Amino acid sequence: MSGTTERGATERKHSNLSLSLFAALFIFLLALPTRAASVDDQFRSWLQSDLWPEAKAKGISRKTFDEAFIGVKPNLKLPDLVMPGEKPTTPEKQHQAEFGPPGAYFAEKTVRAVTAGGRTRDSANARVLGLIEKRYGVPGEVLLAIWGRETGFGAAKMPYDAFEVLGTKAFMSTRKDFFRTEVLAALEIVERGLAPVNAMKSSWAGALGQPQFMPTSFLKHAVDFDGDGRPDIWNSTPDVLASIANYLVHYGWVRGRGWGTEVIVPAKVSCSLEGPDQGKKIADWVAMGIRRTDNKAFQASELKAEGFLLMPAGRSGPAFIVTPNFYVLKQYNTSDLYALFIGHAADRIARGDATFTASWGPVGDLHRSDIAALQRALEAKGYDVGSADGLPGFKTRRSIGDWQAKNARAATCFPDAALVTALK
């Protein structure tokens, strides 16, 4: 009897627990749409009481504002959002090309898609590219490389409503101020008749059209090169290419100079000499023993000009002497690897599919949090790493090299797991 009683009590206990769990789950599920509705309501209130007054003060009409946001709700699937009333969180582990193996960024399949497509479009758009280069001084192959890298020469679709993306991010992202400026610029584009509301399609980050311009960049750099009265970076190839050229010129593209060339750096030349703030005349780099991998001499005009050492994988990958134009390419995307990809692809579009002479070593593959910890350790020792953001930029790379040299280690100028452990 006692066993039966105990079993019955246990069964009733489990039954009650199951009912409690079911009730809690039911309540949670009921709360989900309520929470979403609450966010929607807060978003609509923010639009009218916060964003609209500023838009009005900037000359945006009520008609434009209402058309832009009719039916728009916050897209909670976008990245880097912070729910109202909550604090932002940082993922513990992250993987991106800037802190993964650098060589992966230059997968031949990816590079060849841009270069093959670029050569095809070079022939098809030769006249337009010639006119653009004459006006802006930017070689056509550079424009083609950016166009191909950004949107696959326009093949990548822009599936998002720009006002949904920009509005959501201005309301609840980790960079509210940045996206507030951008959504107001997007409204200005429509207000000025530069694009209708239904044409404002973007990426998940709010970048517009085939060149992937943020709205502020559109207003500054978009060009009507086909002469139809408005800059159309969604559909007009001449406008797309000329707008990219205008962007690069704005940031200082030097007519008549390339972006850089691959070189061999002797062991006696420290990898910690890299960076845009440590430039030398190319003749001085040559005097230090640096030479081109193709064994060609630098042109006399180049020898007199300034060049910069670039070693994006430290001693475990190709090295380059780059010109100021390389850093103009970085204005399009702040990654060294992105700018190098564009320069390399442009060379291959113009001269054929020659890969880098040096190979990429098996380095990288660290979590961003690991690199950030390494950067903080270097900062504590007085090194300038730029910022402890988990991205091994040139300041981090050369700080690593300096620390290694001072601690009787071979200077590699790139983070690895053993280095993270040694600096903890």
Side-chain angles (χ1 to χ4, degrees), residues 210-392:
Q210 296 185 39
Q212 287 292 272
F213 280 176
M214 293 304 290
T216 52
S217 289
F218 179 99
L219 290 173
K220 293 175 184 175
H221 311 302
V223 172
D224 171 25
F225 203 75
D226 63 13
D228 70 351
R230 66 184 183 91
D232 183 358
I233 63 171
W234 291 270
N235 304 295
S236 169
T237 296
D239 290 3
V240 168
L241 294 170
S243 296
I244 295 172
N246 191 41
Y247 182 101
L248 296 178
V249 168
H250 173 85
Y251 285 104
W253 184 270
V254 180
R255 184 188 291 264
R257 291 198 78 184
W259 66 272
T261 189
E262 187 181 357
V263 297
I264 295 172
V265 180
K268 65 181 181 180
V269 177
S270 173
C271 53
S272 63
L273 291 175
E274 107 166 278
D277 54 349
Q278 298 193 102
K280 303 177 185 295
K281 287 183 179 179
I282 292 179
D284 294 335
W285 291 115
V286 172
M288 295 168 68
I290 290 176
R291 60 184 178 85
R292 292 170 57 129
T293 56
D294 60 10
N295 292 318
K296 295 180 181 179
F298 286 96
Q299 294 179 353
S301 59
E302 282 293 294
L303 288 171
K304 299 175 183 178
E306 190 174 29
F308 311 90
L309 181 62
L310 173 73
M311 301 181 73
R315 287 286 180 182
S316 296
F320 308 86
I321 292 296
V322 298
T323 75
N325 284 342
F326 175 84
Y327 295 101
V328 174
L329 294 176
K330 280 192 67 174
Q331 293 292 331
Y332 217 97
N333 181 312
T334 58
S335 165
D336 284 336
L337 298 183
Y338 175 89
L340 183 57
F341 184 102
I342 298 303
H344 178 57
D347 285 350
R348 288 174 58 162
I349 290 170
R351 297 192 286 272
D353 281 317
T355 60
F356 296 122
T357 300
S359 59
W360 297 94
V363 295
D365 201 25
L366 292 173
H367 297 312
R368 185 166 173 173
S369 53
D370 293 328
I371 297 175
L374 181 150
Q375 290 169 323
R376 287 192 293 271
L378 286 169
E379 283 183 328
K381 296 178 184 298
Y383 289 94
D384 177 12
V385 299
S387 64
D389 58 2
L391 300 175

Side-chain angles (χ1 to χ4, degrees), residues 5 35 49 62 140 146 152 157 167 237 259 316 334 378 408:
T5 303
R35 185 187 190 195
S49 64
R62 187 78 218 194
I146 292 174
K157 303 302 179 185
T237 296
W259 66 272
S316 296
T334 58
L378 286 169

Side-chain angles (χ1 to χ4, degrees), residues 84-105:
E86 296 182 5
K87 294 182 179 180
T89 58
T90 302
E92 287 297 317
K93 297 181 179 180
Q94 305 174 56
H95 289 287
Q96 289 181 12
E98 287 83 357
F99 49 82
Y105 202 92

Side-chain angles (χ1 to χ4, degrees), residues 150-223:
E150 290 297 324
T151 57
F153 307 103
K157 303 302 179 185
M158 297 295 106
Y160 292 91
D161 179 308
F163 290 104
E164 176 187 87
V165 171
L166 298 169
T168 298
K169 288 180 170 286
F171 173 59
M172 57 188 300
S173 82
T174 56
R175 301 170 65 198
K176 288 182 181 181
D177 291 344
F178 172 83
F179 285 103
R180 186 183 185 93
T181 299
E182 295 299 339
V183 74
L184 290 167
L187 288 166
E188 184 179 346
I189 290 170
V190 175
E191 184 68 30
R192 289 170 53 182
L194 301 176
V197 167
N198 60 10
M200 294 289 282
K201 300 299 181 182
S202 76
S203 70
W204 59 265
L208 305 173
Q210 296 185 39
Q212 287 292 272
F213 280 176
M214 293 304 290
T216 52
S217 289
F218 179 99
L219 290 173
K220 293 175 184 175
H221 311 302
V223 172

Side-chain angles (χ1 to χ4, degrees), residues 411-422:
T412 65
C413 293
F414 203 79
D416 58 51
L419 190 63
V420 171
T421 300

Side-chain angles (χ1 to χ4, degrees), residues 45-122:
S45 175
W46 170 80
L47 282 177
Q48 300 306 322
S49 64
D50 191 338
L51 189 63
W52 162 242
E54 184 172 0
K56 182 180 179 181
K58 290 182 177 294
I60 306 302
S61 68
R62 187 78 218 194
K63 178 176 180 293
T64 293
F65 191 88
D66 289 346
E67 284 183 357
F69 290 107
I70 188 170
V72 171
K73 296 181 179 180
N75 184 343
L76 303 185
K77 295 181 180 180
L78 295 173
D80 303 320
L81 300 184
V82 181
M83 295 299 291
E86 296 182 5
K87 294 182 179 180
T89 58
T90 302
E92 287 297 317
K93 297 181 179 180
Q94 305 174 56
H95 289 287
Q96 289 181 12
E98 287 83 357
F99 49 82
Y105 202 92
F106 300 91
E108 183 60 19
K109 182 179 179 181
T110 304
V111 179
R112 193 176 289 272
V114 173
T115 57
R119 284 194 291 272
T120 298
R121 287 160 182 82
D122 192 14

